[in-house]
Amino acid sequence: MKKYLAGILLAVLVLALAACGTSDKNNASGGKEESTKLVVGATNVPHALILEQAKPLLEEKGFELEIEEYQDYILPNKDLDAGTLDANFFQHIPYFEGQIADFGYEFANAGAIHIEPIGVYSKKYKALDELPDGATVLISNSVADHGRVLSMLEKEGLITLADGVEKVKAELDDIVDNPKNLQFEAEYEAALMPELYKQNEGDLLLINSNYALDAGLNPLEDAIALEESDSPYVNIIAVRAGDEDRKAIKALVEVLTSEEIQDYILKEWGGSVVPVK
């Protein structure tokens, strides 16, 4: 009986020591809040390239940056929610807010970095006033961008949206005047839009600058119209709620909004990507 009790006590002692060891290990590695390593998800251009420029600056502050590249707009938020990313850098505020509403993500906006003006492209026409009646306009199936696209076309005088409609939430059904009888097709993946342009599909195509740049297009030269730089569609660093106060996240935002990175953005893309001041 004594041997049996001694065995039990020994087992309890071993488990207790193992638990302490694990706790000490977690404390030594810092746990998530104290970690000096950041894993950030980003689409290729310009986000991942900007992050590459930020790496040495962040290292000077004592933080290691690992970049995970994505080709779509869905997985970066799923992976952030799942905890495999510390942050992501690919989305503008209306899309971010729409994702939270649709999926219940508990995310926070850690900081605004830059704007990527959306562009109007055409291989058939050199100006918007050349568009014929019934011209086909291709836009992506990203609903979060529809208000952006329609607001731009309204500013260009091609359509009129209903009074009282919140511009960033406008949809095709909100068009009340369409003098050129434009035909809208909105079933395409955003990443495919540059390829459709190269294949001479449609009469007009509206393409996000990150996908245009990634496909070798120059929005300043190839687009026949470009969104104004006062757009509310600012690209941000997104994190899980509460992580916006982490030292590493604050350091990342500080570096990305530094004069050095802002100068890099302007030099590299010459106005087709605009840093937030």
Side-chain angles (χ1 to χ4, degrees):
M1 185 66 177
K2 289 181 179 179
K3 290 182 178 180
Y4 176 72
L5 291 174
I8 292 176
L9 289 172
L10 180 60
V12 171
L13 181 60
V14 169
L15 288 172
L17 290 173
C20 288
T22 302
S23 177
D24 290 342
K25 183 178 179 181
N26 285 340
N27 288 336
S29 65
K32 185 170 180 183
E33 287 298 322
E34 300 299 326
S35 176
T36 58
K37 181 179 180 179
L38 276 178
V39 181
V40 181
T43 44
N44 294 340
V45 181
H47 305 84
L49 294 181
I50 294 172
L51 288 174
E52 285 290 349
Q53 293 295 312
K55 265 188 178 181
L57 300 178
L58 202 59
E59 188 175 347
E60 290 175 7
K61 294 180 177 291
F63 299 100
E64 178 188 355
L65 177 61
E66 179 180 323
I67 305 166
E68 292 287 342
E69 295 190 17
Y70 291 82
Q71 301 292 334
D72 73 298
Y73 284 173
I74 304 300
L75 288 178
N77 278 335
K78 286 187 174 182
D79 288 349
L80 178 61
D81 183 58
T84 56
L85 298 175
D86 294 298
N88 66 43
F89 179 34
F90 77 99
Q91 61 194 321
H92 55 59
I93 292 175
Y95 182 82
F96 170 78
E97 293 176 344
Q99 288 275 290
I100 291 173
D102 290 344
F103 298 101
Y105 292 138
E106 295 183 359
F107 289 169
N109 174 356
I113 310 302
H114 71 264
I115 299 167
E116 297 167 23
I118 203 164
V120 181
Y121 296 78
S122 177
K123 282 189 172 292
K124 300 173 183 175
Y125 306 101
K126 295 182 179 180
L128 292 176
D129 58 13
E130 296 179 5
L131 281 179
D133 186 74
T136 301
V137 180
L138 307 187
I139 62 179
S140 81
N141 58 7
S142 175
V143 176
D145 277 334
H146 288 181
R148 181 182 192 179
V149 165
L150 296 175
S151 296
M152 183 179 179
L153 294 179
E154 184 178 49
K155 281 186 177 181
E156 297 290 346
L158 293 175
I159 60 170
T160 302
L161 297 171
D163 289 338
V165 171
E166 189 176 351
K167 300 297 185 183
V168 298
K169 295 182 179 179
E171 300 177 5
L172 292 173
D173 290 342
D174 294 316
I175 298 174
V176 294
D177 189 25
N178 184 3
K180 284 186 176 288
N181 192 34
L182 300 178
Q183 303 299 305
F184 290 90
E185 295 182 9
E187 65 267 24
Y188 305 99
E189 292 289 336
L192 295 178
M193 297 300 288
E195 188 60 32
L196 293 173
Y197 165 72
K198 290 178 180 179
Q199 293 175 1
N200 203 21
E201 297 289 340
D203 296 301
L204 282 187
L205 301 91
L206 286 101
I207 306 175
N208 297 73
S209 283
N210 62 314
Y211 286 124
L213 291 165
D214 200 25
L217 299 175
N218 183 331
L220 294 177
E221 296 177 1
D222 297 320
I224 62 173
L226 201 61
E227 184 180 21
E228 296 177 359
S229 60
D230 61 353
S231 165
Y233 292 83
V234 181
N235 282 234
I236 62 171
I237 294 294
V239 297
R240 288 180 295 280
D243 283 358
E244 65 271 25
D245 294 323
R246 286 178 60 190
K247 290 181 180 179
I249 296 297
K250 286 183 174 294
L252 174 64
V253 173
E254 183 179 332
V255 165
L256 290 176
T257 54
S258 67
E259 184 175 352
E260 185 168 347
I261 294 299
Q262 289 185 336
D263 288 346
Y264 164 75
I265 290 173
L266 290 172
K267 181 179 180 180
E268 184 72 15
W269 291 290
S272 57
V273 179
V274 182
V276 172
K277 297 293 186 179

